Amino acid sequence: MNLKKTLIGLGIIACLAGSLFAQNKTSNSKETKMGKSLVVYFSLAGDQYNVGIIKEGNTSIIAKFIAEETGSELFELETQKPYPTDSYSRLTQIAKDEQNKKARPALKADIDITAYDAIFIGYPNWWGDMPMPLYTFLEAHDWKGKTIIPFCTHEGSGLSGTESRIRSTCKGATVEKGLAVQGKVAQTNRSAAKKAVQDWLAKLGK
């Protein structure tokens, strides 16, 4: 008799646990709308235009807001040879030289994107384009069937033509409408920057 009661009790507990699990799984609507998502970004701290010397890069701030809002994983792109962070003018000269040479700087590490359905790609706007390490990353992967969602930080240039460049580079991917946030806003008015992220995601249905 006691054994029968014990088995019935265990069955009830199992049913309740299953119900709670199902509720938790379906309540995470941000993740289920877009499948498994990833935020890949490139960002630099140090001496930066219009914001002075900063501890965290402008794009990094936006990337973390996106990850927080969508439940995405984060991956930061870093180059094997670091860029200078003590002189913005020296940084921009190097960036211009790399752009002219169509350089593909080596990365410290890469990430397998196979398991992800949607990938947010973030970068600062350098000379009207993505930094060249972004091309290193994009050209290393098969993007067929993936959804790419670009975002950038800038000081007046917006996304420039980067959405179309991503579309050309990542054959077979769906490239959605990107977000451009001024770097100074990201640094000095984070509530406004976060609101911009939230409004953008809402328009995308994410």
Side-chain angles (χ1 to χ4, degrees), residues 160-181:
S160 299
T162 54
E163 289 165 304
S164 61
R165 293 188 188 101
I166 290 171
R167 200 169 283 112
S168 298
T169 304
C170 304
K171 303 295 185 185
T174 298
V175 181
E176 300 215 16
K177 179 67 178 174
L179 172 70
V181 178

Side-chain angles (χ1 to χ4, degrees), residues 62-75:
I62 304 302
K64 289 174 183 177
F65 284 152
I66 294 170
E68 178 186 333
E69 293 294 321
T70 61
S72 303
E73 295 178 36
L74 274 168
F75 183 77

Side-chain angles (χ1 to χ4, degrees), residues 134-200:
L134 269 296
Y135 287 97
T136 305
F137 172 73
L138 295 176
E139 292 172 1
H141 295 278
D142 179 3
W143 296 94
K144 289 177 185 174
K146 304 295 183 185
T147 296
I148 299 175
I149 313 165
F151 64 98
C152 82
T153 53
H154 67 101
E155 290 302 334
S157 301
L159 283 154
S160 299
T162 54
E163 289 165 304
S164 61
R165 293 188 188 101
I166 290 171
R167 200 169 283 112
S168 298
T169 304
C170 304
K171 303 295 185 185
T174 298
V175 181
E176 300 215 16
K177 179 67 178 174
L179 172 70
V181 178
Q182 188 180 9
K184 189 172 182 179
V185 171
Q187 285 293 331
T188 64
N189 193 347
R190 298 198 185 192
S191 60
K194 187 171 185 177
K195 180 69 164 50
V197 168
Q198 291 170 334
D199 290 348
W200 169 63

Side-chain angles (χ1 to χ4, degrees), residues 109-126:
D110 200 351
I111 185 169
D112 184 358
I113 65 166
T114 306
Y116 299 95
D117 303 294
I119 299 99
F120 293 87
I121 304 289
Y123 45 90
N125 185 329
W126 285 358

Side-chain angles (χ1 to χ4, degrees), residues 32-121:
T32 54
K33 279 182 184 178
M34 64 192 334
K36 192 174 182 183
S37 56
L38 173 71
V39 179
V40 177
Y41 70 97
F42 174 79
S43 189
L44 291 180
D47 186 22
Q48 297 294 316
Y49 180 73
N50 211 23
V51 290
I53 297 173
I54 54 176
K55 292 182 178 179
E56 181 176 14
N58 302 327
T59 308
S60 174
I61 293 167
I62 304 302
K64 289 174 183 177
F65 284 152
I66 294 170
E68 178 186 333
E69 293 294 321
T70 61
S72 303
E73 295 178 36
L74 274 168
F75 183 77
E76 182 178 6
L77 294 176
E78 296 179 277
T79 53
Q80 288 185 13
K81 183 179 180 180
Y83 287 95
T85 56
D86 59 342
S87 170
Y88 183 73
S89 60
R90 193 155 61 94
L91 168 64
T92 55
Q93 185 56 57
I94 291 171
K96 188 64 174 175
D97 290 345
E98 287 184 344
Q99 191 180 93
N100 290 338
K101 295 174 183 175
K102 299 188 186 304
R104 298 295 185 263
L107 301 173
K108 274 188 181 180
D110 200 351
I111 185 169
D112 184 358
I113 65 166
T114 306
Y116 299 95
D117 303 294
I119 299 99
F120 293 87
I121 304 289

